[in-house]
Amino acid sequence: MSRTATVHSLWTTAAAEPPVRIPAPHIEYAQLSPTLIVLGAALVGVLVEAFLPRRTRYHAQLLLTVVGLAAAFAAVIALAAGGFAGDKARVAAMGAVAVDGPALFLQGTILLVGLIAAFTFAERRLEPTAHGRPVDSFAAQGAAVPGGEAERKAVAAGMTTTEVFPVMLFAIGGMLVFPAANDLLTLFVALEVFSLPLYVLCALARRQRLLSQESAVKYFLLGAFSSAFLLFGVALLYGYAGTVTYSGIADVVGGTTRTLDPALASTTGNDALLLIGGAMVLVGLLFKVGAVPFHMWTPDVYQGAPTPVTGFMAAATKVAAFGALLRLLYVVLPGMRWDWRPVMWGVAIVTMLVGAIVAVTQTDVKRLLAYSSIAHAGFILAGVIATTPDGVSSVLFYLGAYSFVTLGAFAVVTLVRDAGGEATHLSKWAGLGRRSPLVAAVFAVFLLAFAGIPLTSGFAGKFAVFKAAAQGGAAPLVIVGVLSSAIAAFFYIRVIVLMFFSEPKAEGPTVSVPSPLTSTAIAVGVVVTLVLGVAPQYFLDLAGQAGTFVR
Amino acid sequence: MENLIGLLVLAPLLGAGVLLCGGRRLDRTGHWIGTLLAAASFVIGVVLFADLLGRPADDRELGATVFSWVPVGGFRADVGFQLDQLSMTFVLLITGVGSLIHLYSVGYMEHDERRRRFFGYLNLFLAAMLLLVLADNYLLLYVGWEGVGLASYLLIGFWQHKPSAATAAKKAFLVNRVGDVGLSIAVMLMFTTFGTFAFGPVLEHAEEAGEGKLTAIGLMLLLAACGKSAQVPLQSWLGDAMEGPTPVSALIHAATMVTAGVYLIVRSGAVFDGAPDAQTAVVTVGAVTLLFGAIVGCAKDDIKKALAGSTMSQIGYMILAAGLGPIGYVFAIMHLVTHGFFKAGLFLGAGSVMHGMNDEVDMRRYGGLRTYMPVTFVTFGLGYLAIIGFPGLSGFFSKDKIIEAAFAKGGTEGWILGGAALLGAAITAYYMTRVMLMTFFGEKRWQPDERGELPHPHESPRTMTIPMIVLAFGSVFAGGLFSINDAFLKWLEPVTGHAEGHSPVTATQVTAATMVVLVVGFALAWAQYGRRPVPVTAPPGGLLVRAARRDLLQDDFNHVVLVRGGEHLTRSLVYVDHTLVDGVVNGTAASVGGLSGRMRRLQNGFARSYAVSMFGGAAVLIAATLLMRAV
């Protein structure tokens, strides 16, 4: 039969028979409840924007966000307590989403980070009041042209962008799915669901709006570019395996699958597709974690975005993206470990070194923290490369520890202000310790944690990761890691020296007294940093129990 | 009963904590709190002593493990106490003399603003010293050892406004560090050899370790003892330590802390018994020091420094006895206890004299004080008779035994050691008579102090005289009591063991010889200081006298050999540090900085170049992945 005839007969058959009933997908709502609660809250948030009067929106949105995140966190705890982190771990939603230890651990972390970040989003005491109304760090009206008439009017009307709360919830929703995604399409959809809201959030700074918009556009362009890589990689992997599910691809890689899709017979098992596709998916994920050489967006975006958004992004995105990376490498590609490990070695080494070295000459505290986050991405990659159960649990622990330090550090950055808003240039931080010893001491704690000094969570995390890497046969990586930690310690401690041992400048910035919201965020950051530093064992055990991926 | 042992240490420790942290509120009562807690410790000690006496002689050992201190894998150290006859003897000496000196200090330090702090330090010392003698393992002993060092440092430098006191404290601390390093090495050697620090196993299995190991451990222990007990060659700090308040000199630098070295050697007897070379080193150190200290004591005009030289010399006797092995252990400890009484008494007497003489210490400016300070004169005089070994008094019994034991060592060695001990006894009689004559006899040579006031000597208050009287009783009767039926020997024997030596001379001959040298020493001193008036300014003196005044050139020796050498070493190290190490460090820092600056330029702000970087990165990543497969 010729090709046209086949097509024709298909058409005619379809027309003659009654339409096939598409079976309704089986969804385990209870097991997906954390994501569903957050997305539901986001939808309600959109409705709040539409129907509530402007005066009440702020409080309604804040309440909704906090309740939604707390409820989702409770759901995660309930699932973990119900055994889904252990024996009952399973794949839900027709194979699209995994409910297992790593997923629940990371979701819990993301939700807590989101909750704390929501506090910093809601801070309204730092900015001077606009026409008698308290405002937050977001633009009065996102769509208004910076410096234009519309903006002036929006400010005069006391408008605030309370949309940030539902937008943030959407992002969190995507992040919750990202590390749990169990097929490549879900992975991609989740990526876009959390990326797009972040692009929007980046553009919403109240001060220095042009810088903020520039950062958003850069982030968007480069993000789209990396998504393209990822998507193309997905296509190639589909061509290789004939399926997009993680377990299906893993079976083909491992050579255990028997059934072949006849349409893909010519490409199935073609290793070139696997290698190129795998590498391209990795590129997409490495972009999100900010690994060198896909890191160049990080400093610009971290600097331009509103600082609460930077803190949220730096903490939560990293957790979600590393979760996805872990699952991809441990579930899909363990069979080709010998192919990706050397490459990832290279990436990790370059990331650690570049992050640490370039940070040395930074003069802006937000850019400094951006490079520091790049270096930390390298440290975490060292744990990822270990490919042992210890590697997984150490990365989980590190992510939890690191995200709270980051959140706290950026929250402190929002406090140090002068007439132009936040004073992020390092020269303005000179002598801060003499003027505001408490704030400077708190920031010093965070810096010491970044540097990995004992009795802070940074040390416990770094130790766990390096130990796992060394036991996993990556000793050279550990050596490079320690060396770059030494370089990194230089610039963290330089800031401490600057704060405590320099004379304060006469026209230096002042430290604003925040509302209890930001204070809570900072306090939680300090407490978590110290508790995980002094008594990390319980949390290491927790991460260890949550270290098994479901297939 | 076992639980009481912990309390023994805890009481003064509590005192130290309360007094040092209590603040000004305790300024008015603090000294009594300190004294009370010291006395409480003494009472507990007496109760425990009574308990021990009630037991059969071979069962007089109490032990208590308080908690596990460092449980790490195969490394295990406990905070545990061991109370046997040896520890008990020290406990009674430390708490007894300690309580008396606390009481004395109430009067002596009456006008000092920082009296509360002083008592806090004194209590701290008591706690550390008790820990030292009660520990059941070497590591915990080391804690006490460092603790007494700290207390000693704090108390020597108590009048820190005086530069000389601050320097003396520093000197004592530094010299002691040398000894402490010895102890720490000994402890480490013990751990590697025996796998434990506990006295029991270490001393039981000492013989199995082999002579080489034991000699090494023994020499390190000796180094430690030299530091703490001011023995040659680490003796230089003791004279300067007299800068501390006199009660401190009496308690720490005469009666208790400086005898810790003797305790260490006697306690580690099993180690030394297996290492004859180390024992030879011990007796050599003892013999040299007993002469060294005595000679220095002859030349000093400062009453406290003369007594300090005497302390050094008397501890030399104890170290000598301890180095003789089982024939000497008991007598080392016996002399230690009697010395604790009479030397503490002598120092308290010296303090009482200074108290009455506007803190004047130069004996050439004393004279004729016996009628002005009768109690001080009598108690000091009894201490004097005891130390020179006047028949029937404490020193007579204990020192004679040591001289006998030295002869009993046998051979040439025995003759040398015995001779040195006898010569020491003669010099002791000489310098102590000199002190006695210059202070209490002769005409008044009092000089106005810096405010231009002539001193008005007077008897000290009760709080000061009572301790002196009690100690004088000890100086007179302790030796005799100990010797009735060899009571002290029988008491200590189960712990230290005892052996009779084969002396080439009989006990009677030794006693006779001692009497002769005593009389000779006394006569010489009388001829020089009793018959003739004492010049107020010291005569220039011969070469030996001048050397002895400079502590036999100990500081000059240390300066030339150690300080100069150390300076050269430091300078060359600093040079290496500056050029080589700093060069590498700064060079690395500069190159990282330069690299950073260059790499920073890649971050040019253009999204297009960022995209290029990503694209290139992706290409490399893919190529590398493919290449890995190809290889």
Side-chain angles (χ1 to χ4, degrees), chain A residues 113 117 121 175 198-199 201-202 219 288 297-298 301-303 305-319 406-407:
Chain A
V113 167
F121 275 45
M175 288 171 183
L198 285 180
Y199 304 149
L201 286 173
C202 284
Y219 193 16
K288 280 293 165 195
W297 61 277
T298 322
V301 174
Y302 276 26
Q303 188 185 17
T307 308
V309 174
T310 311
F312 169 62
M313 197 161 61
T317 311
K318 205 149 257 176
V319 177
T406 308
L407 267 181

Side-chain angles (χ1 to χ4, degrees), chain B residues 51-62 83-86 487 489-496:
Chain B
D51 180 68
L52 282 194
L53 278 183
R55 291 163 186 259
D58 52 355
D59 187 32
R60 286 175 179 161
E61 185 181 321
L62 295 175
L83 185 74
D84 55 13
Q85 291 92 325
L86 182 61
L489 176 64
K490 283 178 187 154
W491 160 252
L492 265 189
E493 203 176 25
V495 185
T496 57

